[in-house]
Each structure stands twice: as C-alpha cells, then as structure tokens.
Amino acid sequence: MRGWWREISGLILPVSCGGCGRPRAELCEECRAELLGGAPRRVRPVPEPAGLPVVHAAAAYERAVRAVLLAHKERGALGLAGVLGKALAGAVRAGAGRADGDGPLLLVPVPSARRAVAARGHDPTRRIALAAAGELRRGGTGARVAAVLRQRRPVADQAGLGARQRQANLAGALEVVAGGERLLGAGRVVLVDDLLTTGASLAEAARAIGAVTGAAGGRATAVFGAGQAAVVAVSPAAFEINRNSR
C-alpha cells in the first residue's frame, strides 16, 4: 500500500533529480551519465570472501550514483528503478558471456530482510532486478527474475560491521525456497544486488544456491557453473583493484 501511494504521489507532486536535487527531472542528464556512462567491469572487494562469484558492476558508489541508490532504496523514489535496472542490465550483460549453460538468464536477487521490506514499503533489489530483466528482454536477451532465496534466520543490521563480521553475521542465513532448485535448472543463474560492499551477501547467496544445485546434480550444476553476479554499484577501490590486476 505504501509503495502504491509513493508511485501515485510521484505523478502529481513536483520531482527533483535523485542524484543532485535539481528540480523538474527525476534524474538529470549529468547524473544519468554518471550512472550509465561507464563500461561495466569486473570488480573484487578486499578481502575477497570465499565463494564469491565473479562480479560485474555498472558504476562506482559515489556522488550521484550513491544518491540515486539511496533515494530509491530509503526514500521511496520508485521511478528510479527503471534507470537503475538499465545499469544493472549492463552489468549482467558484461558477465553473461561467462555464464555456463543455455536458456534464459535467471536474475536471482539477494533478498532483503522482511522487516526492512516492511519499513521501506518495497523490496528495492527485487524491483531493480525486474526492471533489469525487462531491459534485457527489450535488447533481445531472454531474462526473467527468479526470486528463490529467502532468509532462514534473522540477521543483525550490517551497517557498521566489518568484512569478517558481515561474513559471520550472514553465514548460513539464506536458503532456497521449496521448489526453487527446479526453477534454477531452467536457465543461467546470475545473482544480482544493488550494491557490493564486502561481498558477504553475494557469497552467502552463492553458497545457498550451490547447496541445492550441487545436490541436484546434472544440468542444474552445469547451469550454475562457477557463479556469476552483477550489481549496480561498488566502492571505487574495487574498480582500481581490477584495473591493476589486468
């Protein structure tokens, strides 16, 4: 209900740029260029958690990109999901050629805690993933969202936690919903999230999926392969590490 009201109010109330605050545009051309202007690249956090999939990111988490993600996630600027989905789709494409198997791309969003979804009135990562899947389909790439992950136990707020603390906080926290392994066997899995910080969330998501695809054997294991992931943004340092490693 809250998300519905935000969408309606966005149609009748004056808007300002989600990146810089300029009036009369939900996202101005300068901020749009900051989000979409660069080529998505592979990124690596330091330290890199065990089991982290190969991750591609669309942009650095700074300035306008940071503001846009926060506006969508925390302030209910739901109209920004489209452009954020476009950025995520670019990151997905950058790594899709490395994904094993055939069939459509299955975008598996990292789930938010139920209390966070209730407080925000929407699930930001899932909303961006749906927009990304639509963008991919319009570009001729078969894609759909497979929201097969859920939290199996409560976790602490990640804000303020270091890399090791986040890994411990999330260890064993996710699971695949009943019947999810069948859905995962229908295409090439790409884990998606809005933001990569330490990589703990994506590593835990990969573990949860690997637990069922590995047990299932056969095509499901081949589809998942070594694991692929895509995010909208990541800290600039992760991009620098990648530049120096190539």
Side-chain angles (χ1 to χ4, degrees):
M1 182 70 176
R2 187 183 304 174
W4 173 84
W5 169 245
R6 284 170 173 165
E7 293 187 81
I8 294 298
S9 63
L11 296 175
I12 59 176
L13 298 177
V15 297
S16 59
C17 173
C20 64
R22 294 177 187 172
R24 299 181 182 274
E26 195 158 46
L27 191 65
C28 71
E29 289 304 313
E30 290 86 349
C31 292
R32 180 180 292 270
E34 194 169 328
L35 177 62
L36 301 174
R41 284 172 292 174
R42 185 177 174 182
V43 295
R44 299 185 184 97
V46 172
E48 185 172 345
L52 181 70
V54 174
V55 186
H56 285 77
Y61 187 63
E62 57 185 356
R63 299 187 299 271
V65 174
R66 180 178 185 274
V68 169
L69 277 170
L70 289 175
H72 175 260
K73 189 172 191 173
E74 305 295 351
R75 297 198 296 277
L78 304 184
L80 294 170
V83 69
L84 290 168
K86 186 172 183 177
L88 181 61
V92 170
R93 287 191 195 99
R98 302 170 183 241
D100 294 330
D102 52 14
L105 295 176
L106 303 177
L107 307 189
V108 179
V110 174
S112 299
R114 272 185 255 180
R115 63 179 180 277
V117 173
R120 292 170 179 146
H122 73 125
D123 186 333
T125 302
R126 185 170 184 174
R127 185 179 288 269
I128 294 171
L130 288 167
E135 177 72 19
L136 289 164
R137 289 193 298 270
R138 286 190 290 274
T141 300
R144 66 175 184 267
V145 174
V148 298
L149 290 174
R150 69 180 177 190
Q151 287 193 346
R152 63 186 300 180
R153 63 169 177 79
V155 297
D157 188 345
Q158 297 275 79
L161 298 182
R164 295 186 186 279
Q165 291 171 315
R166 288 186 179 219
Q167 290 174 40
N169 183 41
L170 291 171
L174 300 180
E175 65 180 359
V176 174
V177 300
E181 62 271 21
R182 177 179 53 81
L183 297 176
L184 292 171
R188 295 174 288 162
V189 173
V190 182
L191 294 169
V192 295
D193 208 349
D194 58 348
L195 175 65
L196 172 68
T197 49
T198 65
S201 296
L202 286 172
E204 170 58 17
R207 181 210 60 78
I209 289 180
V212 297
T213 56
R219 185 169 181 272
T221 303
V223 166
F224 189 66
Q228 296 291 327
V231 297
V232 174
V234 70
S235 69
F239 280 113
E240 293 292 340
I241 293 162
N242 191 54
R243 290 193 198 108
N244 294 337
S245 68
R246 286 189 171 181

